[in-house]
Amino acid sequence: MKKAEQQTLAKLRQMILDGELSGGERLSEVVVAGMLGVSRTPAKFALTRLEMTGLIKKLPGRGYEVCKVSLGELEMVIKLRGVLEGAAAAALAANGVREATRKDLARSIEMTERIVLRRRIGMDDVAAFQDANTLFHETVMRDCGNEYIALSYEPIRHLPMAALGTYAPNPDLLDKERLRMSVGHAQHVIIAKAVEDGDAARAETVMREHSNATFEYARLFVGQRESDHIPTLLQAV
């Protein structure tokens, strides 16, 4: 990921999470480029990535819109994702792990381990952690051996914060974010070990806790309110 693309993505995401861009606000490559003083290439990249996390949605024709969602709705989505991810981890443990799956999980863990062992991290590390996190979660869902779990996940895939491996760090608090990453990495290690051992119950329990922790870990390690880590519109609660 190029530096300009990474910085544009981080800034635009933070503007949404901080409420600078309110629910229903229209965005486009031209608008984002002008607002952040970048070219249309990193603006397009940022919009595409944010659509994948559900923070914005594509409009018919051209352009995007910042999504509207209440805190109650968001919590329900995240809890449902946790149930499905937990079921996927349990199924993977019960069905056995293929070598390709084992390699993908190990590669993800190696990537996150390199990051959390550093004394200081930068936005390049945040981007790498996001990629590794996504790889881990998508691998479990993809290779769990139960196609009905994946089919059940599809309808919520594009809802805010429902994408597998979604991570919304605060670029101004990277030291504290590193602690949060460390816990996530440790949970990945535990989940992978439970899967390898065929311990479906442990794999499911830890994965559900891990998946549901979006708000709790933000408060614990970054010290911010829930509303600082989700799309603005919580006025609708």
Side-chain angles (χ1 to χ4, degrees):
M1 189 188 306
K2 296 180 180 178
K3 186 174 182 180
E5 293 175 341
Q6 172 190 313
Q7 291 177 335
T8 302
L9 172 61
K11 178 59 178 176
L12 190 59
R13 178 173 53 209
Q14 199 62 40
M15 290 175 72
I16 294 173
L17 297 177
D18 286 346
E20 292 181 52
L21 296 174
S22 59
E25 188 158 347
R26 300 293 182 90
L27 297 173
S28 68
E29 293 173 25
V30 174
V31 169
V32 172
M35 184 169 53
L36 300 182
V38 297
S39 70
R40 292 181 62 173
T41 298
K44 179 180 180 180
F45 172 84
L47 289 168
T48 301
R49 289 294 290 264
L50 288 175
E51 183 190 12
M52 292 170 62
T53 68
L55 290 175
I56 63 176
K57 64 181 179 181
K58 191 80 170 63
L59 296 173
R62 302 179 67 179
Y64 297 82
E65 180 180 273
V66 178
C67 290
K68 297 180 179 180
V69 62
S70 71
L71 178 57
E73 291 170 333
L74 195 59
E75 288 181 328
M76 286 190 287
V77 169
I78 290 175
K79 286 179 180 178
L80 177 56
R81 185 190 67 187
V83 169
L84 294 172
E85 288 205 271
L92 181 58
N95 293 327
V97 187
R98 296 185 296 109
E99 185 59 28
T101 303
R102 186 178 291 109
K103 287 182 178 179
D104 281 343
L105 294 178
R107 180 159 59 92
S108 169
I109 289 171
E110 288 170 4
M111 291 167 67
T112 55
E113 183 175 35
R114 286 197 298 269
I115 295 166
V116 301
L117 288 178
R118 293 174 184 169
R119 291 190 175 185
R120 298 258 181 200
I121 62 170
M123 289 306 297
D124 286 343
D125 299 310
V126 169
F129 186 90
Q130 174 66 84
D131 290 342
N133 199 45
T134 299
L135 172 62
F136 187 92
H137 286 264
E138 289 188 344
T139 297
V140 172
M141 182 65 73
R142 181 194 69 216
D143 296 346
C144 71
N146 185 330
E147 63 180 301
Y148 294 104
I149 296 174
L151 287 173
S152 297
Y153 169 70
E154 278 301 314
I156 69 168
R157 174 184 291 276
H158 295 294
L159 294 176
M161 305 298 284
L164 297 174
T166 293
Y167 176 65
N170 187 324
D172 297 324
L173 296 170
L174 291 183
D175 285 345
K176 292 184 177 180
E177 288 290 357
R178 189 179 68 82
L179 295 176
R180 187 176 165 202
M181 291 178 183
S182 296
V183 172
H185 164 74
Q187 289 176 323
H188 281 188
V189 172
I190 293 169
I191 293 165
K193 179 67 163 56
V195 164
E196 186 69 31
D197 292 344
D199 190 341
R202 184 162 176 75
E204 179 172 14
T205 298
V206 180
M207 178 62 96
R208 284 186 68 167
E209 163 65 18
H210 177 65
S211 182
N212 288 335
T214 302
F215 298 146
E216 292 302 322
Y217 289 1
R219 286 200 300 266
L220 181 59
F221 295 107
V222 187
Q224 295 186 324
R225 301 183 310 273
E226 291 172 343
S227 57
D228 291 328
H229 283 264
I230 59 179
T232 162
L233 2 157
L234 304 181
Q235 302 91 328
V237 175

